[in-house]
Amino acid sequence: MEAVLGHLRGAIERGEYAIGAKLPSEAEMCRTLEVSRPVLREALRALQTMGLTVSRTGKGTFVVANAVEDPTFGDYAASDLLEVRRHVEIPVAGYAARRRTPENLDHLAHLLDRMERETDTTAWVAMDTLFHLAVAEAAQNPVFRRVIEEIRDALARQSAFLNELGGRREQSNREHRAIVEALLDGSPHDAEEAVAHHIDRVETTLTDIVRPARTDTPTEGSPEA
């Protein structure tokens, strides 16, 4: 899927498919790229998330931009989602460390154990959103939970995107483990630091996907920029 996405994204960024142009049919792209339809559709969804294309029912997929600016997950842009997460989830973790109950800790530990054993990405993503809801619940403030509920769909879409293209699952499990350990210790500072680190890593992976580093290097004797 990553290879198909890279090919299509490169073609759009190079102008081979101009803004306003319609991409070839799924059947044609599957034949040309020699991939299955599910793989192609995953790549097309990623292009749409990146803001490069839009799918119109019954009409096809059209190019709407030739550069990735700010991916959209559901109703929210990635930059807006990250900003809110920093202002909500970090302090929520501090409150959770002070107020968590034994039941909250058991629930989080059970969720984390299941996530670390899970191999199916879809199931893991569903538990990922439940994990963040459980941390909000541990803060014992229903407003915090309501806020996380509001962005739950966006979090799930972002999580699936990062796992598919950034291989984040194992790293995320380790970050979640650090959060649970801080809550278990009852340390607001450590809990806030653990969540801040988790969000930092999400942002870094997202940036690496959206704006990949150039692979071309200056040849010997050539001027460098």
Side-chain angles (χ1 to χ4, degrees):
M1 193 280 280
E2 289 128 331
V4 175
L5 174 61
H7 171 80
L8 293 173
R9 177 180 178 179
I12 291 171
E13 292 178 336
R14 289 190 300 271
E16 294 175 23
Y17 296 114
I19 293 176
K22 178 183 175 182
L23 294 184
S25 69
E26 288 187 6
E28 183 178 347
M29 285 193 283
C30 284
R31 285 195 302 270
T32 301
L33 300 173
E34 298 182 340
V35 296
S36 66
R37 191 157 291 199
V39 168
L40 177 66
R41 286 178 174 171
E42 285 293 327
L44 291 175
R45 276 195 288 271
L47 285 177
Q48 188 162 329
T49 296
M50 290 178 172
L52 294 175
T53 63
V54 63
S55 178
R56 295 177 182 142
T57 304
K59 295 183 179 180
T61 300
F62 295 82
V63 177
V64 294
N66 56 16
V68 180
E69 295 296 335
D70 196 2
T72 300
F73 300 105
D75 294 331
Y76 304 113
S79 59
D80 292 338
L81 192 60
L82 283 166
E83 183 175 67
V84 167
R85 293 188 70 184
R86 289 188 187 283
H87 283 83
V88 175
E89 291 192 74
I90 293 174
V92 160
Y95 288 118
R98 296 184 184 93
R99 302 170 179 170
R100 80 287 186 276
T101 65
E103 291 76 19
N104 293 141
L105 293 174
D106 285 346
H107 180 46
L108 282 162
H110 179 64
L111 262 178
L112 186 56
D113 287 343
R114 288 176 59 198
M115 292 174 76
E116 290 175 339
R117 293 193 305 268
E118 185 57 64
T119 57
D120 179 75
T121 298
T122 301
W124 187 93
V125 165
M127 287 186 283
D128 185 25
T129 60
L130 289 175
F131 179 88
H132 290 280
L133 275 172
V135 174
E137 286 176 346
Q140 312 302 328
N141 183 329
V143 180
F144 286 144
R145 179 189 168 89
R146 181 64 62 87
V147 172
I148 301 302
E149 282 279 11
E150 171 62 30
I151 63 174
R152 183 176 179 178
D153 177 66
L155 289 177
R157 290 170 184 260
Q158 183 184 71
S159 181
F161 181 79
L162 294 178
N163 278 287
E164 188 68 45
L165 299 178
R168 276 265 314 152
R169 192 173 0 171
E170 289 187 10
Q171 185 181 50
S172 189
N173 283 338
R174 290 194 295 272
E175 292 157 13
H176 287 165
R177 175 67 65 183
I179 294 169
V180 171
E181 289 176 354
L183 296 181
L184 184 63
D185 291 342
S187 172
H189 176 268
D190 289 350
E192 290 175 1
E193 286 289 309
V195 172
H197 175 70
H198 177 55
I199 296 173
D200 284 343
R201 297 310 302 162
V202 166
E203 183 172 20
T204 297
T205 304
L206 186 61
T207 300
D208 289 344
I209 294 169
V210 171
R211 299 182 180 85
R214 293 178 63 87
T215 56
D216 54 322
T217 56
T219 57
E220 186 177 353
S222 65
E224 296 186 12

